[in-house]
């Protein structure tokens, strides 16, 4: 990695502690990613982004701030990036996926909170992630209880705006979310000093839709019998989508898809014939959480789809691009975002419909329902999900895990046994 020490010091980071993360990450990435055979050449871009994860993109964000621009940090796929980009600001994902940050979170949070929340709070309070330092404002949401309370703790340290997400999907809830987006627009306008006009919002809707289209194209390629790319690689791309420059990400992902189109035409597969096709569903896998994909793909399986926020929930369905007034655009945004099926909603049967639809589209042999420890929403919903899958005749394995490696061997045994019986 290039030398970014000065930048990190200027950000007020704990550079010594951060050095420890810089030491382990390349090793982990090498073991999980670079050991794969026959990776697409276009993965070089994403390898580079990860190798320089705390350098290149943070430097771009700081450059943007030097020109007077603002950076908003987000934690959930319900928060509409379109509003942020329409105000000439940048939105960047802030979810933490490493055990490295968890002890920092545990200093202020109870142990029985999900690792995603603990890692995110720890990354901020321990000052060991540049993205968490750079963001001028955090945007929270009222999804799960742990997050709702975590915003209050984070707000002691950084400006936080919380969006009130409805928990049901009636027409009045879609209206309420549109009102919430309108309020968010005002907050963003006041904070940036830039007006969100219909023209600008229209452009940012197309910008983010283009990213969705590129991801949908990539995922479509995984529907092929012969898989031109591993699940691990697609997971990495999904994770990078949350903080990379959207236009560049779209361009690079379409470039990768061109290469994968050629692989499909040539009948190239990165897996041996007969490798079982596995879909994952459940809680998000924030970077650098590659644990389950790695276990599946080194145990005789291939991950072909993720019904997750780091997966289909992030890109499926587009925002209507034909609206011409800000009010209509906001209504279109609300309709698109309220179509995401997170377990924080009740009822959430549309998620089960999605899982069964995706299982058919991606021709999966089995599904692994992955739950991050202490996420009661997805844990409880797992009952209905697994019951529906059994009724549909789709084999399912439910697992619960967190960011530590100590359960890897036990999980490998269970995952291998599951794949073997498919
Ligand atoms: S839309 S999944 S990104 S809320 S895993 S922090 S729910 S206790 S992340 Fe999520 Fe938005 Fe839903 Fe997606 Fe809480 Fe569960 Fe932890 Fe979670």
């Amino acid at each position: 990695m290039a030398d970014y020490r000065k930048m990190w010091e200027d950000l007020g980071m704990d550079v010594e502690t951060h050095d420890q993360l810089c030491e382990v990450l390349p090793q982990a990435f090498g073991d999980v990613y670079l050991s794969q055979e026959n990776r697409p050449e276009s993965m070089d871009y994403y390898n580079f982004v990860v190798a320089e994860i705390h350098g290149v993109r943070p430097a771009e964000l700081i450059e943007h701030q030097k020109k007077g621009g603002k950076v908003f940090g987000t934690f959930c796929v319900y928060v509409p990036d379109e509003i942020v980009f329409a105000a000439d600001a940048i939105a960047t994902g802030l979810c933490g996926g490493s055990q490295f940050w968890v002890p920092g979170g545990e200093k202020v949070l109870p142990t029985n909170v999900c690792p995603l929340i603990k890692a995110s709070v720890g990354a901020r309070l321990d000052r060991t992630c540049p993205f968490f330092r750079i963001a001028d404002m955090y945007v929270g949401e009222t999804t799960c209880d742990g997050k709702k309370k975590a915003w209050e703790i984070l707000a002691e340290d950084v400006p936080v705006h919380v969006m009130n997400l409805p928990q049901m999907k009636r027409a009045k809830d879609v209206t309420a979310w549109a009102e919430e987006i309108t309020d968010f627009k005002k907050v963003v306008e006041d904070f940036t000093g830039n007006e969100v006009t219909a023209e600008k919002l229209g452009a940012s809707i197309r910008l983010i839709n283009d990213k969705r289209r590129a991801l949908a194209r990539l995922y479509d390629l995984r529907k092929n019998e012969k898989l031109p790319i591993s699940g691990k690689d697609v997971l990495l791309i999904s994770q990078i989508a949350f903080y990379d420059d959207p236009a560049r990400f779209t361009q690079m992902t379409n470039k990768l898809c061109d290469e994968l189109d050629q692989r499909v035409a040539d009948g190239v597969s990165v897996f041996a014939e007969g490798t079982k096709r596995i879909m994952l569903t459940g809680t998000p896998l924030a970077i650098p959480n590659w644990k389950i994909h790695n276990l599946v793909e080194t145990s005789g399986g291939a991950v072909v789809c993720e019904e997750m926020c780091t997966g289909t929930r992030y890109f499926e369905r587009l925002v209507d691009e034909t609206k011409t007034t800000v009010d209509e655009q906001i209504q279109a945004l609300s309709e698109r975002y309220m179509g995401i099926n997170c377990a924080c909603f009740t009822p959430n049967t549309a998620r089960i419909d999605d899982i069964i639809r995706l299982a058919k589209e991606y021709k999966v042999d089995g599904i692994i329902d992955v739950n991050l420890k202490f996420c009661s929403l997805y844990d409880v919903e797992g009952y209905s999900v697994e019951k529906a899958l059994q009724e549909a005749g789709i084999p399912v394995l439910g697992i619960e895990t967190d960011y530590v490696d100590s359960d890897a061997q036990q999980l490998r045994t269970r995952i291998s046994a599951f794949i073997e019986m498919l």
Side-chain angles (χ1 to χ4, degrees):
M1 201 192 279
D3 192 5
Y4 294 105
R5 272 190 105 74
K6 168 89 174 58
M7 179 180 86
W8 296 330
E9 277 163 11
D10 291 349
L11 286 171
M13 286 173 60
D14 176 349
V15 178
E16 273 81 58
T17 309
H18 181 251
D19 282 347
Q20 296 166 20
L21 182 62
C22 295
E23 271 166 35
V24 294
L25 204 58
Q27 173 76 37
F29 185 71
D31 290 350
V32 176
Y33 278 93
L34 305 179
S35 58
Q36 297 180 97
E37 279 172 25
N38 200 15
R39 293 178 81 213
E41 268 176 37
S42 311
M43 284 308 295
D44 281 354
Y45 170 69
Y46 308 95
N47 293 343
F48 166 75
V49 172
V50 172
E52 302 277 323
I53 190 163
H54 283 182
V56 168
R57 185 61 177 154
E60 286 177 354
L61 298 178
I62 292 167
E63 211 35 54
H64 169 75
Q65 287 173 319
K66 279 187 189 151
K67 290 188 215 133
K70 297 286 186 205
V71 176
F72 290 77
T74 64
F75 299 84
C76 177
V77 298
Y78 280 99
V79 173
D81 285 354
E82 289 89 343
I83 298 289
V84 174
F85 283 98
D88 298 324
I90 295 177
T92 186
L94 285 184
C95 287
S98 168
Q99 179 63 21
F100 182 80
W101 295 303
V102 168
E106 286 177 340
K107 286 181 202 158
V108 293
L109 296 165
T111 314
N112 61 351
V113 166
C114 101
L116 199 147
I117 299 174
K118 287 191 287 199
S120 301
V121 170
R124 170 73 200 187
L125 300 186
D126 275 356
R127 300 179 285 115
T128 46
C129 175
F131 290 95
F132 281 81
R133 300 303 304 165
I134 291 169
D136 297 293
M137 179 182 273
Y138 287 12
V139 188
E141 15 50 53
T142 52
T143 45
C144 67
D145 288 353
K147 277 190 180 182
K148 271 188 281 201
K149 292 290 114 180
W151 310 140
E152 295 169 15
I153 296 172
L154 288 169
E156 292 176 358
D157 199 43
V158 57
V160 177
H161 173 72
V162 180
M163 297 185 76
N164 187 12
L165 184 72
Q167 315 272 278
M168 295 178 81
K169 293 191 177 178
R170 303 156 300 184
K172 65 179 176 182
D173 297 311
V174 179
T175 305
W177 189 235
E179 283 169 12
E180 202 59 26
I181 296 174
T182 303
D183 289 353
F184 179 50
K185 175 175 95 59
K186 177 87 173 60
V187 169
V188 171
E189 286 177 329
D190 290 348
F191 200 67
T192 59
N194 299 327
E195 194 193 340
V196 173
T197 61
E199 198 188 342
K200 284 187 149 185
L201 190 50
S204 75
I205 286 173
R206 285 190 295 279
L207 175 78
I208 305 300
N209 272 349
D210 283 345
K211 174 157 86 166
R212 295 188 182 109
R213 281 186 270 262
L215 282 164
R217 187 180 164 202
L218 174 64
Y219 269 65
D220 270 347
L221 283 152
R222 303 168 86 189
K223 294 176 182 168
N224 283 291
E225 214 59 67
K226 293 199 169 171
L227 291 163
I229 186 164
S230 68
K232 272 193 252 193
D233 278 335
V234 177
L235 173 65
L236 184 70
I237 296 165
S238 296
Q239 292 170 332
I240 288 173
F242 281 78
Y243 63 90
D244 199 7
D245 173 74
R248 180 178 55 210
F249 175 86
T250 301
Q251 190 200 345
M252 298 314 287
T253 303
N254 278 319
K255 183 171 160 252
L256 167 71
C257 290
D258 292 341
E259 185 185 343
L260 299 185
D261 279 342
Q262 189 57 48
R263 284 189 160 204
V264 170
D266 296 342
V268 175
S269 176
V270 291
F271 293 101
E273 224 180 302
T275 302
K276 298 297 178 192
R277 301 171 68 91
I278 306 296
M279 178 166 120
L280 302 188
T281 182
T283 45
L285 303 173
I287 199 163
N289 183 5
W290 308 308
K291 187 173 170 179
I292 303 299
H293 280 65
N294 191 40
L295 286 170
V296 170
E297 298 198 333
T298 51
S299 303
V303 180
V304 296
C305 181
E306 299 83 12
E307 190 282 319
M308 293 176 153
C309 289
T310 40
T312 55
R313 281 183 230 140
Y314 186 59
F315 67 80
E316 280 203 329
R317 289 164 303 98
L318 301 173
V319 179
D320 188 341
E321 294 179 0
T322 64
K323 304 297 177 193
T324 50
T325 68
V326 170
D327 284 347
E328 288 171 348
Q329 288 166 327
I330 286 180
Q331 180 64 24
L333 285 169
S334 179
E335 285 167 12
R336 188 267 157 193
Y337 280 90
M338 287 290 279
I340 300 168
N341 298 314
C342 173
C344 62
F345 282 82
T346 186
N348 194 33
T349 47
R351 175 170 166 234
I352 295 173
D353 298 341
D354 278 347
I355 297 170
I356 292 175
R357 168 180 60 83
L358 293 165
K360 287 187 189 135
E361 285 178 13
Y362 290 81
K363 305 176 203 74
V364 312
D365 295 303
I367 295 181
I368 302 181
D369 183 17
V370 186
N371 195 56
L372 273 178
K373 226 174 188 169
F374 305 121
C375 175
S376 52
L377 287 172
Y378 281 85
D379 197 8
V380 175
E381 193 162 284
Y383 166 79
S384 317
V385 169
E386 289 169 31
K387 191 163 136 237
L389 290 178
Q390 275 152 10
E391 281 166 11
I394 304 169
V396 56
L397 170 72
I399 59 173
E400 186 168 75
T401 185
D402 57 13
Y403 296 164
V404 297
D405 283 329
S406 51
D407 61 353
Q409 207 39 52
Q410 193 205 354
L411 286 173
R412 181 180 293 285
T413 308
R414 292 185 61 207
I415 290 171
S416 303
F418 177 66
I419 292 173
E420 228 163 81
M421 64 140 233
L422 293 174

